[in-house]
Amino acid sequence: MGLYLAPTDTFRGIAAHPTFVAPLLAIVLINSAFTFVWLRKADHFEVSRVQLEEAGIFDRIPPEQHASATERQARILPTFAWLGPTVFLPIMIVALAGLFLFVYRFFYASETTFPQSLAVMTWALLPFYLLATLLVVLVLSLKGEWSVDPRTVVQANPGALVEKTAVPKPVHALLDALDLFSAWLLFLLAAGYAATARRSVGSAAVGVLVLWGIFVLLKMAMATVF
């Protein structure tokens, strides 16, 4: 609750006594629980068909092969869906903690430790995933339609106001990145690393925003290439 109501003060306590096992396990459990429910309710064939269509795969293969390609995708969908929260997500969190540690140790000359960096990363992501997952489940339940990409369900960004095909792909990727949830997560990270680096939130936010800017540029580049 402190991370929702008083994140700056709460992160000072986390920086003084860094713990990351509990929030990391909670993040994995939240995402795994959602994956379990979503896989049971979603039509795997329909989800795979939409994914292949949006990826442009159908444009590169004959129409008579569309059904077989979709069936192959539907068979491997559960495997990749489970690898996300159980394998890829923890690896990503640890990697991001290492990257942020490098930034605040090298550029800020702080004494931030890896346990502190991992604690900030996990505790910042926990309230983010908790709220986002609850909203996604609520929207899907109210709509009664689960056969969609969960990442597109809650759109709090300008990208939701324009058709994806109406603007260049890099522009849509940029609009999609300007998200209210992302802004909230960036603030939590800035508050956390401000506590570990003993800087103001504004000063620590520069490092967070630079890394976020690099991520957005990479996202735009990938949208251009693929």
Side-chain angles (χ1 to χ4, degrees), residues 180-217:
L180 289 178
F181 285 98
S182 298
W184 177 45
L185 177 59
L186 293 175
F187 168 73
L188 290 176
L189 290 172
Y193 284 101
T196 65
R198 298 181 180 179
R199 301 286 197 279
S200 67
V201 175
S203 175
V206 174
V208 175
L209 290 174
V210 168
L211 290 176
W212 177 77
I214 294 173
F215 164 76
V216 173
L217 290 175

Side-chain angles (χ1 to χ4, degrees), residues 21-43:
V21 175
L24 181 59
L25 289 176
I27 290 170
V28 172
L29 288 174
I30 290 170
N31 284 274
S32 296
F34 173 79
T35 299
F36 175 78
V37 174
W38 180 71
L39 286 175
R40 286 176 62 88
K41 291 180 174 291
D43 183 336

Side-chain angles (χ1 to χ4, degrees), residues 12 26 31 45 64 67-68 72-74 82 86 94 96 132 151 154 179 183 190 199 213 222:
R12 291 196 186 103
N31 284 274
F45 186 89
E64 60 270 17
S68 59
R72 288 195 299 270
Q73 179 78 1
W82 279 114
T86 59
V94 173
L96 285 174
R151 296 170 297 180
V154 178
D179 186 83
R199 301 286 197 279
M222 291 182 66

Side-chain angles (χ1 to χ4, degrees), residues 122-167:
T122 52
W123 281 110
L125 286 171
L126 178 56
F128 170 82
Y129 276 119
L130 182 59
L131 180 60
T133 303
L134 288 175
L135 287 176
V136 170
V137 171
L138 178 62
V139 172
L140 290 175
S141 299
L142 292 175
K143 291 176 63 177
E145 174 56 60
W146 290 78
S147 301
V148 295
D149 187 340
R151 296 170 297 180
T152 64
V153 173
V154 178
Q155 293 184 312
N157 57 69
L161 303 177
V162 298
E163 289 291 338
K164 194 171 184 179
T165 57
V167 295

Side-chain angles (χ1 to χ4, degrees), residues 81-111:
W82 279 114
L83 285 175
T86 59
V87 178
F88 297 140
L89 181 58
I91 292 175
M92 181 198 72
I93 292 174
V94 173
L96 285 174
L99 178 61
F100 275 79
L101 175 64
F102 170 77
V103 169
Y104 285 94
R105 287 292 292 263
F106 185 82
F107 293 102
Y108 284 77
S110 72
E111 297 181 357

Side-chain angles (χ1 to χ4, degrees), residues 56-68:
I57 302 299
F58 288 164
D59 298 332
R60 300 194 291 269
I61 61 177
E64 60 270 17
Q65 296 182 11
H66 289 186
S68 59

